[in-house]
Amino acid sequence: MNDDASARLPLSFRAAADGAGGEDAGGQDAARPARAGARLLPWAVLAVLALLPVVGSALGLDYYVGFVRRLLIVAIAATSLNFILGYGGMAALGHAGFIGVGAYTVVALVDAGIDSAWLAWAAALLLSGGVAAAIGAVSLRTRGVYFLMITLAFAQMLYYLAVSLSAYGGDDGYGLHVPLVFGGGLGTGHAHVFFWVVLAIAALVFAFASRLAGSRFGYALMGIRDNETRMVALGYPVFRLKLVAFTGAGALAGLAGALLASHSNFVSPSLMHWTESALLLVMVVVGGLGRRWGAVLGVTVWLVLAEALKVWTEYWHWPLGVLLLVVVFFAPRGLAALAERRRGAA
């Protein structure tokens, strides 16, 4: 970032933009192995996940391959929420509404006889982004708890709209009995191929979100989060920046909804209930607000624990509640921040 642009940024994140220029050479040399390891870790995880369908099928663990695929889809939705909440400070409680819009877009296209996965997912992305832009244009004129409540209200409106759609099953939901196709005789019915497609999409979304957070746009959002009044005084188009972020997050949530519909082969209005938005919010908080891998870590910990606890007890909800309390009181910046602090200390 050049000096002029850096000078216009608030001090709260100017240092992050410029880097730790005050470190001595010895400290930089000591930090290089840790940074190299941190850069290689995502590639190692990606390689392991790419091998999972083959290994899982050989070991008879097809259920867990499907579970990881669902985890990746939910992580896409959580990443989009983390961007507007953690980086932009927009505490939305209606993100599941956009997931539902994406899922029902797939339902509408399948019902109309369109079975192309690429077309259905692209349509879900665009329609969810359009709905998010319309909702954001109204909601972003409010702040704080009012913004939270108005996004909740819009999401519930979408929920009741889905309930009233008797053509798509209403409250009973809609089953997708025909798998979407990728081309070349392949489609969502081929479990391995579908897993790799979801993995590729998730990797692209995570990489894009990471680069965007470190861009001038990302730093501007953090400035708005920290001191919106000052950003307005500096001449930044605050409303426009927030609307672009909100629209993009809604579009990615819609893409996650379309993938989830293809994964489950079933869509119901419960997908967009406010409790689903709250659950996404909780997972982001557990992982770490505004942390690069916070949303992914939060989704992974939460869903894996839920899956494991269901095996041991029917009262599996309360240990997760205890986990949330522990994070809030002892790691308020999330598990990702805790891991970063320990890595820095090492």
Side-chain angles (χ1 to χ4, degrees):
M1 186 176 294
N2 59 47
D3 295 339
D4 292 338
S6 179
R8 298 181 66 197
L9 296 174
L11 288 172
S12 56
F13 60 92
R14 192 189 303 168
D18 295 338
E23 292 182 358
D24 57 20
Q28 291 177 353
D29 291 341
R32 283 197 188 103
R35 290 175 182 172
R39 285 194 297 267
L40 290 175
L41 181 60
W43 293 103
V45 172
L46 185 63
V48 170
L49 289 176
L51 292 173
L52 181 62
V54 177
V55 176
S57 179
L59 297 177
L61 302 175
D62 294 313
Y63 170 79
Y64 293 102
V65 175
F67 169 75
V68 174
R69 186 173 67 196
R70 177 174 173 269
L71 187 152
L72 289 169
I73 295 171
V74 177
I76 293 173
T79 298
S80 67
L81 177 60
N82 184 43
F83 191 76
I84 59 171
L85 177 60
Y87 294 98
M90 291 172 268
L93 192 56
H95 216 59
F98 306 128
I99 296 176
V101 170
Y104 272 94
T105 300
V106 173
V107 166
L109 291 177
V110 169
D111 189 66
I114 298 173
D115 62 355
S116 170
W118 309 117
L119 181 59
W121 296 346
L125 183 78
L126 293 174
L127 184 58
S128 300
V131 172
I135 291 176
V138 177
S139 303
L140 291 171
R141 301 183 187 278
T142 63
R143 298 179 184 177
V145 68
Y146 302 104
F147 176 77
L148 184 145
M149 294 305 296
I150 198 170
T151 54
L152 170 62
F154 275 117
Q156 286 301 99
M157 288 169 60
L158 293 172
Y159 166 78
Y160 287 113
L161 176 62
V163 170
S164 68
L165 294 175
S166 57
Y168 302 134
D171 200 27
D172 295 327
Y174 186 97
L176 299 172
H177 304 295
V178 179
L180 299 178
V181 298
F182 300 132
L186 301 175
T188 56
H190 298 81
H192 289 15
V193 176
F194 187 26
F195 181 94
W196 288 321
V197 169
V198 170
L199 178 60
I201 293 174
L204 289 174
V205 169
F206 301 153
F208 175 73
S210 179
R211 292 295 298 270
L212 194 61
S215 68
R216 296 178 65 180
F217 178 75
Y219 285 123
L221 272 183
M222 285 187 275
I224 294 170
R225 176 197 64 192
D226 293 342
N227 195 330
E228 183 172 336
T229 302
R230 184 178 181 186
M231 294 298 284
V232 171
L234 287 172
Y236 281 85
V238 168
F239 180 82
R240 192 188 314 161
L241 290 171
K242 291 170 69 175
L243 182 59
V244 169
F246 191 84
T247 301
L252 287 179
L255 175 61
L259 293 172
L260 198 58
S262 304
H263 165 82
S264 304
N265 292 318
F266 179 78
V267 176
S268 74
S270 61
L271 189 66
M272 53 208 310
H273 196 264
W274 73 268
T275 53
E276 297 299 317
S277 297
L279 182 57
L280 268 181
L281 186 63
V282 166
M283 288 189 284
V284 171
V285 169
V286 168
L289 288 172
R291 300 289 169 175
R292 177 175 298 182
W293 298 105
V296 178
L297 181 59
V299 169
T300 302
V301 170
W302 193 271
L303 292 185
V304 169
L305 279 178
E307 191 70 20
L309 289 170
K310 288 176 184 177
V311 177
W312 296 99
T313 176
E314 60 181 316
Y315 306 106
W316 56 273
H317 293 88
W318 72 264
L320 293 175
V322 172
L323 169 65
L324 179 59
L325 290 175
V326 169
V327 169
V328 169
F329 284 109
F330 297 101
R333 295 185 178 180
L335 298 178
L338 191 63
E340 288 173 5
R341 187 162 64 245
R342 288 186 175 179
R343 188 170 63 246

